[in-house]
Amino acid sequence: MLSAELYKNHQDEELVDLYRKSGDVAIVGELYNRYTAMTYGVCLKYLKDREESRDAVMQIFEKLIDTLKDHEISQFKGWLYVTARNFCLMQLRAGKNKKFEEISPFLMESGEDVHLQEGPEIESNLSKLEGCIERLPEEQKLCVRLFYLEKKCYKEITELTGFDLNKVKSYIQNGKRNLKICMERHE
């Protein structure tokens, strides 16, 4: 327990570096404590089953013990979100679920409450969305990623980027509009 306490005040990226050097699994335990809820939420969003989502979280963190040794990670939280999402998509592709709902803020612009889609179709939409994000101007791309993918608030984004609050809001709104336009073009 003492070693776990040592890691409480470290930033995520510092923990990843320390883990790569030391191999101390207490570090992965600290990351688990920080991000279990987020990872479970991502899994539940895609898998739509509480028990399956709990199992997925355990499998994801078990894999991290090996994965973190081999990958350089600059933003752990965002990387973990994408890792969890990809894990769930692989579960769905393997046939564990036949249908699921997509809740992306960019794909739900039609105003309908629920879109049931086949796994490959949603994967295709996510790939298109990722491509569209990459095409955004740098400021919009950065703010959209921080706001939607890393769940940062406006204040945190202003602190991280140095942009003033009105610019951040504008970049997010314009980025969202540009993503919607881009996604519609690719349909």
Side-chain angles (χ1 to χ4, degrees):
M1 277 308 226
L2 180 61
S3 63
E5 289 297 317
L6 292 173
Y7 303 124
K8 290 259 184 241
N9 297 323
H10 287 79
Q11 297 291 322
D12 299 339
E13 292 71 25
E14 293 175 311
L15 291 176
V16 172
D17 287 340
L18 283 170
Y19 178 68
R20 290 182 74 185
K21 292 173 187 165
S22 71
D24 183 357
V25 273
I27 296 170
V28 178
E30 175 60 26
L31 292 169
Y32 176 83
N33 290 337
R34 292 180 187 186
Y35 294 109
T36 303
M38 179 198 79
T39 307
Y40 176 74
V42 171
C43 293
L44 190 58
K45 173 180 166 180
Y46 288 97
L47 301 176
K48 305 292 185 215
D49 180 89
R50 291 176 189 265
E51 195 61 40
E52 205 172 322
S53 297
R54 280 191 281 270
D55 291 345
V57 169
M58 293 309 297
Q59 291 174 42
I60 289 165
F61 277 93
E62 285 172 7
K63 286 184 177 187
L64 284 186
I65 291 170
D66 293 325
T67 307
L68 289 178
K69 292 177 184 174
D70 301 329
H71 291 82
E72 283 202 33
I73 300 162
S74 59
Q75 292 185 333
F76 179 78
K77 184 177 178 182
W79 178 85
L80 179 60
Y81 180 93
V82 171
T83 298
R85 183 198 70 199
N86 290 344
F87 180 89
C88 293
L89 290 173
M90 293 301 288
Q91 296 290 93
L92 292 167
R93 187 183 295 157
K96 297 221 175 194
N97 285 335
K98 297 295 179 213
K99 293 192 175 213
F100 63 101
E101 299 169 9
E102 170 53 28
I103 307 175
S104 166
F106 306 119
L107 302 179
M108 294 284 293
E109 289 294 320
S110 68
E112 294 177 31
D113 289 339
V114 179
H115 293 283
L116 289 180
Q117 301 177 340
E118 296 292 331
E121 183 180 335
I122 195 62
E123 240 180 283
S124 171
N125 281 337
L126 287 171
S127 294
K128 289 176 196 170
L129 179 61
E130 288 171 2
C132 288
I133 289 173
E134 286 303 312
R135 290 186 197 104
L136 290 174
E138 284 304 313
E139 296 87 356
Q140 289 178 16
K141 182 185 341 181
L142 177 60
C143 290
V144 163
R145 282 188 187 281
L146 289 170
F147 188 75
Y148 288 106
L149 300 179
E150 296 188 29
K151 307 293 186 204
K152 303 283 187 201
C153 67
Y154 291 135
K155 184 176 186 270
E156 291 173 307
I157 296 171
T158 60
E159 291 168 0
L160 289 168
T161 63
F163 302 142
D164 69 46
L165 181 62
N166 289 332
K167 284 282 188 196
V168 167
K169 289 179 179 180
S170 175
Y171 289 144
I172 292 170
Q173 183 158 351
N174 291 334
K176 184 175 177 180
R177 185 191 69 241
N178 289 336
L179 286 172
K180 184 175 184 230
I181 291 166
C182 180
M183 291 296 290
E184 287 170 352
R185 283 187 189 146
H186 285 62
E187 284 182 357

